[in-house]
Amino acid sequence: MSESRRSPLPIPNVVIADEFWSPRRQVVRAKTLPHQQERLREGGPFAALRFEWRPDPDDDRERFPIFWESDVAKWIEAASFALASEADPALEAAVDEAIALLAGAQQEDGYLNAYFTAIKPEGRFTDLRDAHELYCAGHLIEAAVAHFEATGKTSLLDVMRRYADLIDREFGPGGSHEGGYDGHQEIELALVKLYRATGERRYLELSLRLTDARGTTPFFFDAEALERGTPGYWGGNGPIVRSDKRGREYNQSHAPVREQTEAVGHSVRAMYQYAAMADLALELGDEGLRAACERLWRDLVDTKLYVTGGLGADPSIEGFGPAFHLPDKDGYAETCAAIGLVFWAHRMMLLTGEATYVDVLERALYNGVLSGASADGTKYFYGNPLASDGTVERSDWFDCACCPPNLARLLTSLEHYVYAVGDDGIAVNLYVSGSARFELGGQRVSVAQSSAFPWDGAVSVEVETEAPLRFALRLRLPEWTTGDVAIEVDGAAADFEVERGYAVLDRTWRGGERVGLVLPMGPVAVRADARVGAAHGKVALQKGPIVHCVEEVDNEAPVPQLVIARGGEPAVEHREGLDRITVPGLVDEPAAGGLYRTGAAPVRPTEIRTVPYFAWANRGKGTMAVWVRESL
Amino acid sequence: MSESRRSPLPIPNVVIADEFWSPRRQVVRAKTLPHQQERLREGGPFAALRFEWRPDPDDDRERFPIFWESDVAKWIEAASFALASEADPALEAAVDEAIALLAGAQQEDGYLNAYFTAIKPEGRFTDLRDAHELYCAGHLIEAAVAHFEATGKTSLLDVMRRYADLIDREFGPGGSHEGGYDGHQEIELALVKLYRATGERRYLELSLRLTDARGTTPFFFDAEALERGTPGYWGGNGPIVRSDKRGREYNQSHAPVREQTEAVGHSVRAMYQYAAMADLALELGDEGLRAACERLWRDLVDTKLYVTGGLGADPSIEGFGPAFHLPDKDGYAETCAAIGLVFWAHRMMLLTGEATYVDVLERALYNGVLSGASADGTKYFYGNPLASDGTVERSDWFDCACCPPNLARLLTSLEHYVYAVGDDGIAVNLYVSGSARFELGGQRVSVAQSSAFPWDGAVSVEVETEAPLRFALRLRLPEWTTGDVAIEVDGAAADFEVERGYAVLDRTWRGGERVGLVLPMGPVAVRADARVGAAHGKVALQKGPIVHCVEEVDNEAPVPQLVIARGGEPAVEHREGLDRITVPGLVDEPAAGGLYRTGAAPVRPTEIRTVPYFAWANRGKGTMAVWVRESL
């Protein structure tokens, strides 16, 4: 077949030494991980694992203990990824301490969930829809695999295998919860990782079983609710059974996953489900799951994706609205959903060898994901709106703290996303300076990248081999390039084929070659499909993968009063580590004489200045917009 | 002084025979009043007055019994106005039946409120902030005055005088609720009417006392809440005392009314308060209240008024947002608030003789008020948004049914608003065909108007006198005129002064003169102040007082995809009783190849067609907008 299944490189094989990414990753190490560790220690999760925590019914912030294992897990996972790239004995000891707490909380039969052990033991596995038990288990399994791969220690892996074995028994054929699955997908993709780490195929089969059970009739969540006879964890006064379309779509249990055609419901749940489906399609060669993934992908990318790579426009469900419903100010675009899209897109690239998935991954990564944290890494957005009326700012933390540790684990595992390797050679997916070691045709091959990406599209790639070796070096040609891409090898223009979105240099590499690549990167004005109401008559400015926004602090009027002059030449200045685009524009002027008038709208010329979207909201509150009116 | 205080004409002095208004008023008589009567009979209010109703705690719709007297009152008032212009024995009998119920529900001491008699007697006058007791009393007083003026019967007036006397005792000096006032203003303006109907000055003084008590410290609502020790009627889990700025501003109790400078809080409450302040300013020559009214008016009209005359942009409080916060799709603009603005504006005109208040009254009346009911008068909007994503439609009724009867009582009392008379002569405020009888200088003078208003600005006014009489006939010059106004008397061009927004024909009238007036009425494109975000880069089309909107059903694409071509000539067609404006425009075309692209936005030419805003949502659901993008 013409396509190729690929693998990512293990973290130790990749060195990231990049002016853009390295400082951000260093912030995660130096600030985010210690900050999160402190929160786990002080905020309840560690106490809960010691069975010392009791809920305070008067404290609304204590509604979230059911997520605490996932907080611990994502922190362990992020720390493990960090340990995989650079040793840190203090961090490793802290991880071991957390793992000891988890091991201590594990029950005789393998069960591991503090809330449903110490607080509500009678509730164990009775509320799959709402209670996030398997979701937490999934994150712990991901943490166990990352910890094992980083340190070689099986302390957490052993714990989680025992728990996974229990889940396999209870949710497997003849088990007391046969046919069940979690209301928040996560364990499905985690079990694929556990299979890969252990070679135990029954974890893969359990993942497939959980995936394929979803949305079949009779509906599992109805049955468990009727059996339980009480509302779920969030129940409130609603009906015990949520059989309405919106209720079922919320957790993507409205139809068997293979039959799903539209991205609906809670967007993080959706991303984790689709990621697991892509994993299973790859591991099993399952064409039905692959076809479903491709359908869902098209629906998302063609109708429900923000230009920032954010997704999930409807705050009321933290999820998808209808097609083309992408409001800016009142949208949602949860950081975790953009991170989930990175996970899914990455797997789709591995499955298909298509660069188009990396285009979307890159769009999300550099925009809707990065915007989730402040420049200093200490404040966070849960939702990432594309416009602000001046009231939006990042928060220190969240009671439901899913996003900050998710961002941490993505940044500390960035190594996974830069390259891929397979029968079709080496794919350079992201332009991130540093180096990588591959095993190819029995040889060690290394590739070193250098660029000022994402600010400059000139990239140098040096290839080293032990001996001459023929392979294809695939350099991704981003969809945002604004002109012909030029490639040189050792200073001479190189011919190349374009295949599945990559420039393919298929040749015998002798070692020491220097490939020069120039990706023209704008700036350009981007327009949205006419069905996107929030972007009507508006443009967004973009340079390379970086989507810009206009912030009030840089401009002479509140952003809604600004109009970009059509055809005006944008200029770029790089200052304080960021590109800024300047374009000629107009300002609406407040009129004398009342709110409404029949004369021409008074305007005056101005310069409109941007910053990268990910960097907004670092200089106080003010109006902001990605989509800015354009004169017509 | 140069200004003049004026009076409206009593309903029997005015005959409305108008192609625009008469059918709408007939719908109120033939459909709305019987429909409302049915609701009162079947829906609980009449049963409550018989003390036969008991709440059903499982039925959420039964949260509104505290409003039922006001529903009964507004129906009696609307029916009484209808009886004043045309006898209807069956309707009069139905009114008498309702009044008998009210009389039967009145307690020995004069108290009249079914909920706080039969359901929660211990709560009487303990929850002024939330429980609407004086609000209901106010509406009943208005009904009593209207009924007395229409029929000469004192059956309800006597009942309400007894209740007003009780209120005067309890809320007056030394009374057990001295210093109190209602959370929903209404009784203040009603007491001025009661004073005018009875000549009893203590009702005027009670109105002034309630008005001036508002917002003084210590705050009455805090004191009553602390004394009560429980949340108010809507209490929920909130604090018992609502001392936050937003909580106080909601019912305009944040500051003494004379010191208030900005229109804030619940907009119907605000309008009723300001109307009472204007009444008191007029009756008492109170310059402090007048100055406060003028300040509040400027704040409203300059910063918080929709182009439709709607107001109260924030659905969460049914009230005002900050200055220039006038969202279209997500706005509110309650029908009752626009009706309240008509009340206030009318009183400001009576107080000052300025036509500018009638400009706003007319804007509200023909747009944001009329839109509150469907063309057939059987469905209603509570909120009147200026744009729809296709999901908005009128409802049959509301559990809190304030708007439909409010609209009914306004339409059946339209006579009050057409003319005013005072020392400065006769003012023609609204161009409504029909006739009116005045007493002027001891003579009977009659004025007959004829026009195809609001569709055509040519108006004929015939003046009849018993003998030659000098007086000023003041013809309002609307702010929307789009050119010079021509006035003829008996076919010859007439010179006229312009004073306070009126063309003044101050002459000796011999009787039989025919005044011809031509008011050029567009169509024109209206633009909003640059600080109104929802109107950025957009225009609204208006002809005369009628603000138009664009509905999907008349156009070839969803409204958000339409762009009006700047400088295009609008054309008007009158069809099925409505003007329609057609302007050249463009349609954004959905693009092939994904959501985002860098090429020019594909557009194609189209014709954009409007209907009057008040007439929208009568032909099924679809997108709609008043503010439509304009090419720049």
Side-chain angles (χ1 to χ4, degrees), chain A residues 541-610:
Chain A
L541 294 167
Q542 184 173 345
K543 177 170 167 268
I546 303 294
V547 174
H548 283 244
C549 69
V550 178
E551 272 197 289
E552 187 168 337
V553 64
D554 296 311
N555 290 279
E556 57 171 321
V559 176
Q561 289 171 228
L562 302 176
V563 183
I564 290 176
R566 169 164 292 210
E569 269 307 310
V572 177
E573 182 193 1
H574 193 76
R575 186 157 47 82
E576 293 163 19
L578 301 172
D579 276 355
R580 297 142 198 263
I581 303 175
T582 305
V583 281
L586 303 165
V587 190
D588 291 334
E589 295 211 83
L595 269 175
Y596 307 108
R597 66 198 177 292
T598 53
V603 290
R604 65 187 153 79
T606 189
E607 296 241 286
I608 294 173
R609 286 176 281 273
T610 75

Side-chain angles (χ1 to χ4, degrees), chain A residues 328-329 381 385-393 538 548-562 587 608-613 615-629, chain B residues 322-325 530-533 536:
Chain A
D328 54 358
K329 184 164 62 71
F381 277 140
L386 270 69
S388 167
D389 60 5
T391 61
V392 179
E393 59 185 341
K538 297 181 175 182
H548 283 244
C549 69
V550 178
E551 272 197 289
E552 187 168 337
V553 64
D554 296 311
N555 290 279
E556 57 171 321
V559 176
Q561 289 171 228
L562 302 176
V587 190
I608 294 173
R609 286 176 281 273
T610 75
V611 289
Y613 172 72
W616 90 276
N618 280 303
R619 294 170 294 168
K621 288 199 272 190
T623 54
M624 179 281 291
V626 170
W627 295 111
V628 178
R629 284 187 291 145
Chain B
F324 306 106
H325 176 75
R531 289 163 290 191
V532 180
H536 280 145

